[in-house]
Amino acid sequence: MRLSPDNWKLAILAGLAVSAAAVIALPASASFWIIGAVAAMIAAAFVVNAYRRKYYGGLLVAPAIAVLFVMNIFPLLWSLGLSFYAYQSNQQSIRFVGLANYIKVLTNDIMAPANWGALVNTAMFVVLTVTAQMVVGFLLAMLFAKQFPLRKYLLILVLTPMMLSVVASGVFFTYYYDPTFGILSYVVNAITGGQFILMSTKVGAVTGIVFADAWMWSPFVMLLVLAGLVSVPKYLYEAAAIDRVSKWRQFWTITFPYIRGLLMLALLFRTIEAFKLADLVILLTKGGNDTMTISYHLIRIANEQNKTSEGAALSYLMLFMVIVLTNLYLYIANRRSQGA
Amino acid sequence: MTVVTKMKGFAAAAGLAATLLTGGASYALAEEVTLTMAVPDWPPTRIMKKFFDEQYKPPSGNKVKLDVDFIPWPDFYTRVNASLTSGEQKYNFIVSDSQWLGAFVEGGYYRKINDLLDADPDFKKTLMSVHPAPLAAYSTYPYKSENYYGFPQFPDVLVTFGRKDILCNEEEQKNFQAKYGKKLPCTGEEIDAMTWDDFKNVGEFFRRKKGEMLAGAPAEDDFYGIAFQAGKGYDFSSMQINGFIWQMGGNIWDETQAPAGQAEGVVNSPQAVAALEKYLSLLEYMPPVAKTGTMDIFKSDELFREGKVAMNIDWIGLGEASLDPKSSKVSDKLVFGQMPGTMVDGKNVKWSNIGGQPFVLTTWTTPEQTKEAVDFVKWWLSDDIQHQFAASGGQSAVKSVYEDPKYVTYRPWNRAWAPQLDWQKDVWHVPQFFELLTQQQDQFDLAITGKQDAKTTLDNIAKFQQDLLKNAGLIQ
């Protein structure tokens, strides 16, 4: 193996040896920087190698890959590593514990019930919020696919919630649902003569969160579906009309194939986002009435309680579930599209 | 050139040299020292910064700058926690909730100041002039030990905010007397003497529907007698419930008894269960938002300022807004008194959880900065500055200041301040504070929203605390 600045294989081997020695012999604060320097050396070897081989395409994307590595991949790997240690960000000690954190978050008497409860709630919110958004977004798209007076202005109005900050929406709904100051209780009380408090039960609190989330994100689904709807060639409908095909059949045989891909895309995006639901829960219930989600629970564990490693383990379990679910979904979607 | 001219020239040269020398010497001696401080963004810290910029003259002769980061309250803990744990070592001073002491002392971030106190008798005298209850709460870790860390920035207690126009109304007074055989508390002194039973009576008496008569006129909206914190967020029920528990003879897990002190059997003692039941029994007389678990200190304050309740128990720190006509519909109708108590052997027992915040020094503050910081703290806790602080809306825990007859004239609630200081205790200072608090808040929320009874709630809390603290070695 020749010694040359473009020999990336040698750079990797030397880097691994130096890193291992640094980890064993030096304190963590020093070995961290040595490993960083080694990673930079290996990256430089790749760049020199690519330059000498005139592989300019690779060189052009190298800065983007470097940024992605520093900002995204490295923290991801770092936190994965942390999940195998006993480490709290407000303590100076760190020690390797293998899979203990994973076992703890899933089975420990103190931690596990809250984790499982938050996980079940998250699954519930994923199903409810995504269903609500898909249905409302789809119906809005069907409405706005047609031409009618003031359509342009109404479309802007309907899109507004999506552009608002979640905090602004959360505060708005806090007052909207408030039994003393809120219009919802005011109207219901005026009709029923009783005292209506939406957020006092689990059903009410979940409804409140799902409604607020659907209010914010249904326009996103609508936009995607609308893009599909306007791309359907008009002559297909004209031909169907000549053949006296029913509206129902026109929808399933002409419209739906055009919007299916976009609907699936909306479903994928919204499902991933729904798994991360925390902001609205924090603003509306603080997790009360059994509405704690896994993301909010994670904020409390990793941020408030500084249990960094346990938080990382729980995050990776959640990431694993999201990856499995999205891959399953993509597999099914691909099979369907191939079948069609 | 004449002799006179020569002499003039010599004198001018000598004068110039002397000026340069003395000027140069003074520049060489006066150093510039910057103290960086993380504070929540609200009036008490803004006032501190204003006073510093306008009045502080360092005794060292150095040029001392106080560089303050004003951080919004909702982000405060997150930002401070991130700054400390990331190792950026940005701040020399940090305003800290007293409960965070253990977590950040054990992490090696907050500086113990015993050596500074021992080295400077004036400094020690200044700190020891603070009332023992706030001093123990704001400065000691372990709680009530001899290890000192913090200095009072804004000390605070819970007081009762009342509506004079409603409570002192003749018709209401007459009807209340007829119904309960007692006078409806109306003055500050009468509110001071209230028990939780009296407070409940006020709650029950003033439940009025929109259109029903209230103080001689039809109520414009539904009206309620009482409010206090019953929220799930942060510590927005524990701070109130702890007072009930202590007043009724119960206790929270007592870290001063560690490791012998237990959680099980103490936290869920019959007295503690009765106290929680008492707390829960008052919720039905409050605005309906209390049933949702979102009645935090800001919501009850808002309800009071909007004129929806007759009495509210809240921190003095939120009081300024109720006095301001721009933010309060009741600014000219206010009366203040102590938080209600519990009659024990003929005495009105008023134990309560202390509020407010100390500020602390960090471990990476250099000796030069530390010297200036000590001078600054001595200045901050001096009588004159504490008087000015209190006159501008702050509170002082310095004995000579709050005992001055002038003190009660600064703000209407100040009359309730000094008598309550003896009754203040603090919640845990241990590093496990946040775990203890979040689990307890979750459990209290279940009780507040009617999902489980007081006994189950305290049993769950006691078991959790026993397991957690045993694992941490704080319970044997």
Side-chain angles (χ1 to χ4, degrees):
Chain A
M1 201 172 265
R2 70 196 163 78
L3 186 66
S4 158
D6 68 343
N7 191 341
W8 57 270
K9 289 175 188 165
L10 181 65
I12 289 175
L13 281 176
L16 282 174
V18 171
S19 301
V23 168
I24 294 164
L26 296 170
S29 55
S31 59
F32 174 86
W33 293 109
I34 289 175
I35 293 170
V38 163
M41 180 191 78
I42 295 169
F46 272 106
V47 169
V48 173
N49 184 279
Y51 182 75
R52 286 187 178 171
R53 287 195 296 123
K54 295 189 170 38
Y55 182 47
Y56 298 122
L59 281 176
L60 284 171
V61 296
I65 290 173
V67 170
L68 190 72
F69 183 81
V70 172
M71 305 300 289
N72 203 327
I73 297 169
F74 171 72
L76 208 65
L77 292 174
W78 187 260
S79 61
L80 179 66
L82 278 181
S83 70
F84 300 109
Y85 285 83
Y87 172 67
Q88 291 198 204
S89 58
N90 65 344
Q91 310 269 310
Q92 308 302 330
S93 64
I94 182 164
R95 132 183 95 81
F96 184 75
V97 292
L99 289 171
N101 287 321
Y102 289 89
I103 295 165
K104 192 173 178 184
V105 297
L106 290 173
T107 62
N108 181 272
D109 278 352
I110 298 176
M111 288 191 77
N115 294 340
W116 284 111
L119 202 62
V120 170
N121 282 340
T122 305
M124 174 189 71
F125 278 119
V126 168
V127 172
L128 291 176
T129 56
V130 174
T131 306
Q133 288 162 27
M134 296 301 288
V135 171
V136 176
F138 177 80
L139 291 175
L140 281 172
M142 294 298 283
L143 178 70
F144 281 102
K146 294 180 172 59
Q147 294 296 326
F148 54 87
L150 301 175
R151 175 185 173 275
K152 206 162 62 181
Y153 302 103
L154 280 172
L155 192 62
I156 294 168
L157 208 63
V158 169
L159 287 174
T160 308
M162 195 177 75
M163 299 173 208
L164 290 175
S165 88
V166 184
V167 175
S169 301
V171 171
F172 165 72
F173 276 102
T174 304
Y175 279 97
Y176 185 71
Y177 299 146
D178 188 290
T180 300
F181 302 113
I183 192 160
L184 183 69
S185 292
Y186 181 81
V187 170
V188 177
N189 292 348
I191 295 166
T192 62
Q195 190 181 62
F196 180 68
I197 314 167
L198 179 74
M199 307 301 272
S200 67
T201 61
K202 177 165 182 175
V203 173
V206 169
T207 307
I209 292 167
V210 170
F211 183 81
D213 199 57
W215 182 80
M216 277 197 82
W217 293 112
S218 294
F220 174 79
V221 177
M222 180 199 76
L223 263 189
L224 285 180
V225 176
L226 199 57
L229 286 175
V230 295
S231 69
V232 184
K234 289 218 167 34
Y235 67 83
L236 291 177
Y237 290 116
E238 287 164 8
I242 290 166
D243 290 343
R244 295 190 176 182
V245 176
S246 70
K247 289 283 177 195
W248 181 250
R249 185 123 188 259
Q250 279 185 30
F251 173 78
W252 284 111
T253 53
I254 301 172
T255 313
F256 190 70
Y258 271 91
I259 60 169
R260 185 171 58 194
L262 288 163
L263 261 180
M264 289 293 175
L265 196 64
L267 183 71
L268 181 72
F269 281 166
R270 292 315 309 155
T271 305
I272 292 171
E273 283 297 311
F275 262 102
K276 296 188 279 186
L277 180 70
D279 33 27
L280 276 175
V281 176
I282 294 171
L283 289 159
L284 291 175
T285 65
K286 299 275 188 302
N289 275 315
D290 199 12
T291 56
M292 180 62 73
T293 60
I294 200 82
S295 288
Y296 181 26
H297 188 56
L298 262 171
I299 291 171
R300 298 210 305 183
I301 292 175
N303 192 354
E304 291 179 1
Q305 301 172 9
N306 287 308
K307 294 195 299 197
T308 319
S309 295
E310 288 163 29
L314 195 58
S315 301
Y316 274 91
L317 287 172
M318 189 176 140
L319 181 66
F320 176 74
M321 275 183 280
V322 174
I323 289 171
V324 168
L325 276 176
T326 47
N327 276 292
L328 200 67
Y329 153 81
L330 288 173
Y331 173 75
I332 294 167
N334 279 334
R335 272 189 57 177
R336 285 256 171 111
S337 61
Q338 278 164 11
Chain B
M1 189 182 278
T2 63
V3 174
V4 176
T5 316
K6 275 184 182 173
M7 288 295 283
K8 275 184 182 171
F10 179 74
L16 181 65
T19 310
L20 284 172
L21 275 171
T22 51
S26 70
Y27 279 116
L29 287 173
E31 289 178 41
E32 194 168 303
V33 179
T34 301
L35 299 171
T36 309
M37 191 169 191
V39 303
D41 189 3
W42 69 325
T45 51
R46 289 270 173 193
I47 294 167
M48 185 189 224
K49 168 70 173 155
K50 184 170 173 278
F51 285 2
F52 181 93
D53 290 345
E54 289 174 358
Q55 303 185 36
Y56 184 59
K57 290 185 178 59
S60 63
N62 286 338
K63 195 176 172 191
V64 179
K65 193 177 151 207
L66 187 66
D67 193 358
V68 179
D69 261 5
F70 290 100
I71 303 166
W73 260 123
D75 292 334
F76 188 64
Y77 174 77
T78 313
R79 286 271 297 274
V80 166
N81 188 37
S83 172
L84 293 174
T85 56
S86 68
E88 68 169 353
Q89 305 193 342
K90 182 178 178 184
Y91 301 111
N92 307 113
F93 278 130
I94 291 175
V95 170
S96 165
D97 258 1
S98 59
Q99 306 94 301
W100 309 348
L101 283 174
F104 292 136
V105 167
E106 293 294 344
Y109 310 119
Y110 288 178
R111 188 195 193 285
K112 191 171 164 180
I113 55 165
N114 286 46
D115 61 325
L116 304 174
L117 294 171
D118 293 340
D120 186 340
D122 274 356
F123 184 38
K124 190 167 190 171
K125 196 176 151 203
T126 303
L127 194 66
M128 295 306 150
S129 67
V130 173
H131 186 285
L135 181 64
Y138 298 150
S139 198
T140 61
Y141 171 72
Y143 181 39
K144 291 187 177 173
S145 69
E146 295 289 314
N147 303 321
Y148 294 99
Y149 292 90
F151 331 98
Q153 201 284 316
F154 181 78
D156 204 352
V157 299
L158 290 168
V159 292
T160 304
F161 295 50
R163 284 275 301 274
K164 214 163 35 183
D165 59 324
I166 304 281
L167 299 167
C168 300
N169 178 271
E170 273 183 37
E171 190 73 14
E172 301 292 357
Q173 283 277 333
K174 200 173 75 184
N175 292 341
F176 189 90
Q177 180 76 41
K179 187 169 181 185
Y180 299 100
K182 284 178 114 176
K183 186 179 181 303
L184 174 61
C186 157
T187 64
E189 290 73 18
E190 287 165 0
I191 291 173
D192 290 348
M194 282 177 80
T195 64
W196 291 114
D197 291 329
D198 300 326
F199 193 64
K200 184 211 144 213
N201 291 344
V202 172
E204 189 181 55
F205 182 71
F206 279 110
R207 270 197 300 193
R208 310 282 164 90
K209 286 274 169 205
K210 183 181 175 183
E212 288 179 2
M213 292 305 283
L214 176 70
E220 290 173 4
D221 200 354
D222 290 355
F223 190 78
Y224 299 86
I226 54 173
F228 56 48
Q229 55 183 298
K232 185 174 185 291
Y234 192 46
D235 59 10
F236 301 136
S237 62
S238 294
M239 292 294 108
Q240 189 67 67
I241 293 170
N242 285 349
F244 277 81
I245 291 173
W246 288 321
Q247 286 184 15
M248 293 178 67
N251 205 355
I252 62 173
W253 172 70
D254 186 355
E255 67 185 286
T256 64
Q257 305 298 315
Q262 303 292 304
E264 281 187 319
V266 175
V267 173
N268 54 347
S269 68
Q271 293 92 331
V273 172
L276 182 56
E277 279 168 351
K278 185 100 178 167
Y279 168 90
L280 296 172
S281 72
L282 297 174
L283 295 175
E284 66 173 297
Y285 308 114
M286 297 190 189
V289 70
K291 296 186 177 77
T292 67
T294 55
M295 174 101 126
D296 56 27
I297 53 173
F298 309 108
K299 179 56 82 178
S300 72
D301 175 54
E302 183 187 23
L303 286 161
F304 182 75
R305 285 186 289 106
E306 287 293 318
K308 308 288 184 194
V309 290
M311 277 186 183
N312 176 38
I313 295 169
D314 222 324
W315 302 111
I316 285 175
L318 299 179
E320 288 290 311
S322 66
L323 294 181
D324 184 354
K326 286 186 209 136
S327 53
S328 171
K329 290 182 179 171
V330 296
S331 59
D332 55 344
K333 302 160 183 157
L334 297 174
V335 59
F336 293 87
Q338 297 173 30
M339 190 180 85
T342 302
M343 293 305 284
V344 180
D345 300 330
K347 188 180 178 190
N348 199 351
V349 172
K350 297 262 183 179
W351 290 119
S352 180
N353 206 125
I354 197 165
Q357 296 81 33
F359 62 114
V360 296
L361 265 172
T362 50
T363 47
W364 45 83
T365 300
T366 64
E368 191 183 34
Q369 287 173 318
T370 303
K371 190 181 169 307
E372 294 299 346
V374 168
D375 286 339
F376 164 65
V377 174
K378 279 155 66 176
W379 169 82
W380 171 248
L381 293 177
S382 67
D383 282 15
D384 179 37
I385 296 301
Q386 288 287 294
H387 267 291
Q388 287 187 48
F389 181 53
S392 306
Q395 291 299 127
S396 179
V398 176
K399 208 171 173 209
S400 54
V401 176
Y402 66 73
E403 282 184 343
D404 190 315
K406 272 191 298 185
Y407 192 79
V408 293
T409 64
Y410 294 142
R411 286 295 185 277
W413 47 73
N414 280 12
R415 50 169 305 286
W417 169 252
Q420 290 204 121
L421 283 178
D422 287 342
W423 291 108
Q424 301 305 307
K425 294 189 193 185
D426 204 8
V427 72
W428 330 280
H429 287 189
V430 294
Q432 293 76 13
F433 162 74
F434 260 107
E435 282 171 84
L436 296 171
L437 182 70
T438 47
Q439 191 267 352
Q440 178 165 288
Q441 285 290 121
D442 289 354
Q443 287 296 317
F444 283 157
D445 180 63
L446 290 172
I448 287 164
T449 53
K451 311 286 185 304
Q452 69 187 18
D453 62 19
K455 173 88 171 66
T456 313
T457 301
L458 289 176
D459 284 347
N460 291 346
I461 293 171
K463 186 180 180 320
F464 177 86
Q465 294 189 358
Q466 187 79 15
D467 292 347
L468 184 83
L469 295 167
K470 217 169 189 171
N471 285 342
L474 290 164
I475 290 179
Q476 269 177 354

